[in-house]
Amino acid sequence: MKAFMTAFRISALLLVLCGILYPLATTGAAQLLFPKQAEGSLIHVGSVPAGSELLAQETASPGRFQPRASMAKYDPTASSGSNRAVGTKDYVEETLAKASDWRKQNPGLAEMPADLVTASGSGFDPDLSPEAAKAQIPRISKASGIPADELTKLVDRLTKGRQLGLFGEPRVNVNALNLELSKRTP
Amino acid sequence: MGMGLVQVAVTLAIIMLLVKPVGTYLVAVFDYGSGRTKLDRWFGWAEKPLYRLAGIKEEENMGWKGYLKAMLLTNFIMLVIMYAILRLQKYLPLNPDGIGNMPPAQAFNTAVSFMTNTNWQSYSGENALSYFSQMAAITFPMFTSAATGFAVAIAFIRGISGKSDALGNFYVDLVRAVTRVFLPLSFAAALFLVFQGVPQTIYGAITATTLEGGRQTITRGLVASLESIKHLGTNGGGWFGTNAAHPFENPTPLTNLVHIVSMMLLPTALVYAFGLMIRNKRQGWAVFGAMSFIFVAMLALVMASEYRGVPALDAAGIHGNMEGKEVRFGIAESSLFTAVTTAATTGSVNNMHESLTPLGGLVPLAEMMLNNVFGGKGVGLLNGLLYAILAVFICGLLVGRTPEFLGKKIEGKEIKLASIALLVHPFIILAPTALALLTPQAVASISNAGMHGLSEVLYAFTSGAANNGSAFGGLNANTDFYNVGIGLVMLVGRYVSIIAMLGIAGSLAVKKTVPQGMGTLRTDTGLFTGILIMIIIVIGALTFLPALALGPIAEHLAMP
């Protein structure tokens, strides 16, 4: 019984320390130092929350950059990857069909960037590879009337390189691109 | 691919540079020594009140049975508390998104999963857990399960290097692992994660009007404080369903780097600490070398396989496999994460393992089956040493030398215990997999047909047995069959090997050290490293090759 009480008391104490005090203390420090990130890197249009910099959103308009496919339908209350088996005939056929769809909507596309025809892991991949963004420029230019070379400049300006010049892959944030576009053509 | 290799090399170099200092620190943390050490002065103010309030006698030194009893009792009590919180979360505070109570089978699975350091998740956190549950039933055991594994490994080393059956004080080891290692590191890492974009807030989800006028409910929470301990403690369970692929858990390549280094930091350092504690650094490096060799081979296989992608798509100009991966990580950082998370038995994922190429998916499976390539907090080292003991025994039989390890004779009792620990692992993987495939209800959970479907089930039980927690996510594991089945597998996988290893420690501790002679097989040489690798591969291959041949290998051969 004494052994039980010791084990029980240390369990309860560690629960308070690790499960309550630690997360709350971290929250306090985080809110003080990095309030924007701590709240989810929210984007506001006027005073209305318009999403998060870090989460891709459903984008249907041909005049906007489209993010990668999402099995979660861009709904953060149920994140999901596609969980497809890639080494199967079905998968290959579907992917080739997606590629020919992209080619139809985006004339003049030579190389097919892999991120355009695959679903992201999280369902909210906020980025495109610069190639995948540029592949969409002819379509966007036609639908929105913004000249193609301006769009190319925009993609180049917003493209982030590898972090510290080394880690990760070059990428461009889709929400950031579309925010710029909505300033030009609401 | 060139830049990918450079990133991987730099990351591994960072990990290697940290092995010595962190290993040295770990030895100091668990050194009871005489008198107050510097660390006692720094952390004593927090530890003394805990000991006093809990009624722990610091100076009490436990035998292996006492140590084991304290460990099992504490783990059991924590398990019950966690189960109760999950079942009652609707009525508890900090539930801004109004989440309901968790059903019994799933709550059992979840409580076991986090207490055994597995972090298998049959739920998605964003829609199944309140903030309070994420803190008190998830973040809390992430600390204590990792600290438990650590304590046991340290006790084992004390046993095999000591002169009497005094393995230390479980409570003191548990508390020190938390206060001196996990809490300070987790706090610092969490703040860096927030700086890079991981949320840390007590406010609930926010509804946004998207740029096209749609609605998006942005779920968030106290994510960073969970993420940091999740990787430092090689736990692996995410706040969100898609784990470290989710931009809120892993927003940038730098957070990815922190996650990877955090996972490898303590398991690698512990192997070095082992060498220091037994006063034979060469022995530490000999084991380290064997683990590193297998790790690098596995990493090379998954990376090459993912860059190669699916041949039929490659021929059509779609290069590399990006299905289930994120652009910011690309193929290199995704492959590295996969190799690390299953080596360190973390189980978090930054890409969907189900969508890896067949040979890419074989890598996490194989690492979990071997279960000793560094391995999670403590238990991985134990498994590595288990194989070392076995290697000594087999070599002894082959050349007619007395099997000795670290100057202690290896005899019948130790080999029996080691065999139990070794055989339990394949048994609790292969038997439940076979059972599942014979049960229509369990087969209905499979999402991909054919060979890949077999891999889904095999992966689930391997993950549970290895206390890893990663998944082929297509399997619907939230059924009574899998919740209870995997729950039991996780319990056996965790505690049977711990009990056997502590038994071995207790038995070796009281044996006299025999001086090294001409007949001794040296275990701290490159030759022994080679033997150890061979033994691991031969035993692993003999056990699991048939299952792998029917799953990923057959799938690879049939790939279009």
Side-chain angles (χ1 to χ4, degrees), chain B residues 69-132:
Chain B
K69 202 177 122 195
M71 187 276 282
L72 289 176
L73 195 58
T74 313
N75 275 217
F76 178 71
I77 290 168
M78 290 176 183
L79 185 71
V80 173
I81 295 175
M82 289 150 61
Y83 179 81
I85 292 172
L86 294 170
R87 296 282 291 129
L88 299 171
Q89 59 181 355
K90 192 175 157 191
Y91 311 114
L92 294 170
L94 269 176
N95 186 7
D97 297 339
I99 309 277
N101 293 330
M102 194 179 258
Q106 196 176 26
F108 164 74
N109 183 282
T110 305
V112 167
S113 173
F114 282 83
M115 198 61 247
T116 57
N117 201 263
T118 311
N119 292 217
W120 173 266
Q121 296 171 290
S122 73
Y123 63 90
S124 272
E126 62 267 37
N127 53 36
L129 289 184
S130 72
Y131 287 9
F132 185 75

Side-chain angles (χ1 to χ4, degrees), chain A residues 88-101:
Chain A
T88 58
K89 211 164 137 257
D90 286 356
Y91 177 79
V92 168
E93 279 167 7
E94 270 174 48
T95 307
L96 291 176
K98 275 188 210 162
S100 76
D101 269 0

Side-chain angles (χ1 to χ4, degrees), chain A residues 19 22 27 37-39 49-50 54 56-57 60-61 68 74 76-77 79 82-84 91 119 121-122 125 163 166 168, chain B residues 7 126-127 135 194-196 200-201 209 211-212 216 219-220 225 228 242 247 253-254 323-327 355 448:
Chain A
Y22 155 73
T27 308
Q37 293 97 313
E39 288 297 309
L54 294 173
Q57 341 185 304
S61 159
R68 296 183 67 201
Y74 307 99
T77 61
S79 68
S82 74
N83 288 317
R84 294 296 307 271
Y91 177 79
S122 60
D125 194 339
Q163 254 180 324
L166 182 64
Chain B
Q7 294 177 38
E126 62 267 37
N127 53 36
M135 292 159 65
V194 178
F195 163 58
Q196 287 288 303
Q200 180 73 22
T201 177
T209 306
L211 298 175
E212 286 201 342
Q216 193 181 36
T219 49
R220 44 194 189 156
S225 56
S228 59
T242 47
L254 277 188
E323 185 72 34
K325 295 189 181 64
E326 301 276 299
V327 167
S355 295
N448 281 293

